[in-house]
Amino acid sequence: MKVVNDFEDYKLLESSKGMKKEKWGKYTLLRPDPSIIWEDNLDESDVDAKYNRSKSGGGAWDVKKVPSAWQIKYKDLVFNLKLMSFKHTGLFPEQAYNWNYIMDKIKASGRSDVKVLNLFAYTGAASVAALKAGASVVHVDSSRGMIDWAKENVKASGLEDKPIRFLQDDVIKFVKREIRRGNKYDIIIMDPPSFGRGASGEVWSIEDDLFDLVKLCKELVSDKPLMFLINSYTTGLPKSVMENILDILFVRDLGGSVDSDDLGIKQVNSNIVLPCGNYARWEK
């Protein structure tokens, strides 16, 4: 498991009975996490906001003193956080492992012309990392709100003058158009949801659609590719499934190798590591 140990503005403090207590900059949040099936010590007395699940589905935040938006840093990257209605904050801190890998890969290439495509790009943390490392980025998400949030993150990191295009679009339709246009990318990143809908109501299911999407994306890979990265939070989708997809579509034809692993966050002052999804990565 890959574990990030240098995220100074984020800490997993405690975890017990389906809840995790976290420090996000100056604020302490208590949020549900279904993987926490153990029972341990958890003190709620100093929590600034708690997400309470509803028996009828969904839930809501009980906020004491958290502002409508605030910022945290990871190294030289700055991100805007908000309490979202479905328990999230707009950032997945365990992904710092991938941000580092993306930045290192771009810098190690010694190239000034690296092109990155970020699909299902959410609030743009990977886009910010790629821009910071000197690449140009095309950022695609079906949600206008997420696109606007990603723009805020790019600006917060002082990268608004760097080469990035933001596109609100259905990912599959966008990729098909890029194929027709003949556009190519050196790094392709995707963080597909388990289930979702596109900008015009298109239905996405990771089990039904992931292989076909990766197959389409292969046509966008440049003659000097650096990386193809898939992230997943889907319960029941092992990393070996993504490995197999990348092996069939990439390694057999283009060579290279595939690496995969789980991502996790270590709880402070504890041996507990909270699992947080997985990734599979092809490199030439």
Side-chain angles (χ1 to χ4, degrees):
M1 178 180 286
K2 300 297 190 300
V3 178
V4 175
N5 297 311
D6 60 352
F7 205 139
E8 296 299 325
D9 274 4
Y10 174 86
K11 302 294 180 187
L12 175 62
L13 302 176
E14 298 173 343
S15 57
S16 180
K17 299 173 66 175
M19 300 295 287
K20 56 185 177 182
K21 180 180 174 182
E22 309 160 294
K23 190 77 171 179
W24 295 80
K26 294 187 287 186
Y27 302 102
T28 302
L29 309 182
L30 189 62
R31 300 189 293 156
D33 190 308
S35 64
I36 302 172
I37 63 173
W38 54 86
E39 184 174 352
D40 202 356
N41 298 321
L42 197 155
D43 178 12
E44 297 187 23
S45 62
D46 59 346
V47 169
D48 298 309
K50 177 182 179 181
Y51 188 87
N52 295 303
R53 288 235 182 246
S54 170
K55 293 182 180 179
S56 59
W61 286 97
D62 178 12
V63 180
K64 294 181 181 178
K65 61 175 183 180
V66 178
S68 59
W70 75 103
Q71 292 183 339
I72 66 172
K73 292 183 179 180
Y74 177 71
K75 298 183 177 179
D76 294 331
L77 311 179
V78 182
F79 302 109
N80 295 278
L81 305 182
K82 304 169 189 177
L83 299 181
M84 303 172 75
S85 60
F86 44 96
K87 84 174 183 178
H88 294 307
T89 64
L91 193 70
F92 294 93
E94 71 281 354
Q95 287 294 325
Y97 167 78
N98 282 325
W99 309 335
N100 283 327
Y101 204 94
I102 290 164
M103 290 189 288
D104 290 345
K105 193 71 175 178
I106 293 168
K107 292 174 183 176
S109 73
R111 294 167 50 187
S112 60
D113 62 345
V114 175
K115 296 177 63 178
V116 175
L117 174 61
N118 190 6
L119 302 173
F120 306 100
Y122 195 50
T123 61
S127 297
V128 171
L131 278 180
K132 188 69 176 180
S136 62
V137 179
V138 174
H139 173 110
V140 184
D141 198 276
S142 65
S143 167
R144 171 49 57 186
M146 295 301 104
I147 293 286
D148 291 341
W149 197 333
K151 290 179 179 179
E152 293 173 9
N153 284 335
V154 168
K155 185 175 181 180
S157 289
L159 302 170
E160 62 267 35
D161 295 330
K162 301 299 182 181
I164 183 168
R165 293 174 58 214
F166 296 97
L167 296 165
Q168 181 188 2
D169 207 342
D170 173 74
V171 162
I172 295 175
K173 289 183 177 179
F174 170 81
V175 169
K176 289 179 178 178
R177 286 200 304 273
E178 287 292 89
I179 292 170
R180 292 195 296 269
R181 294 167 180 149
N183 288 331
K184 301 290 184 179
Y185 297 90
D186 306 298
I187 295 176
I188 298 178
I189 305 161
M190 62 171 64
D191 198 347
S194 302
F195 179 85
R197 294 188 181 275
S200 301
E202 303 86 351
V203 176
W204 161 271
S205 166
I206 196 167
E207 290 88 355
D208 295 335
D209 299 320
L210 181 60
F211 182 85
D212 289 339
L213 175 59
V214 177
K215 186 177 181 180
L216 282 172
C217 287
K218 181 185 175 185
E219 298 187 50
L220 298 180
V221 171
S222 74
D223 294 332
K224 298 184 292 182
L226 297 177
M227 179 168 61
F228 195 108
L229 174 65
I230 309 173
N231 287 302
S232 174
Y233 293 92
T234 301
T235 302
L237 185 71
K239 60 183 182 293
S240 57
V241 171
M242 298 185 294
E243 276 190 47
N244 293 341
I245 290 172
L246 293 176
D247 182 78
I248 291 168
L249 293 176
F250 285 83
V251 177
R252 292 185 185 181
D253 185 24
L254 302 177
S257 61
V258 175
D259 175 63
S260 71
D261 208 341
D262 298 312
L263 296 173
I265 296 174
K266 189 177 185 301
Q267 186 170 302
V268 298
N269 303 318
S270 170
N271 292 323
I272 291 173
V273 177
L274 180 65
C276 302
N278 50 43
Y279 74 88
R281 181 183 64 237
W282 171 81
E283 296 179 80
K284 180 66 173 171

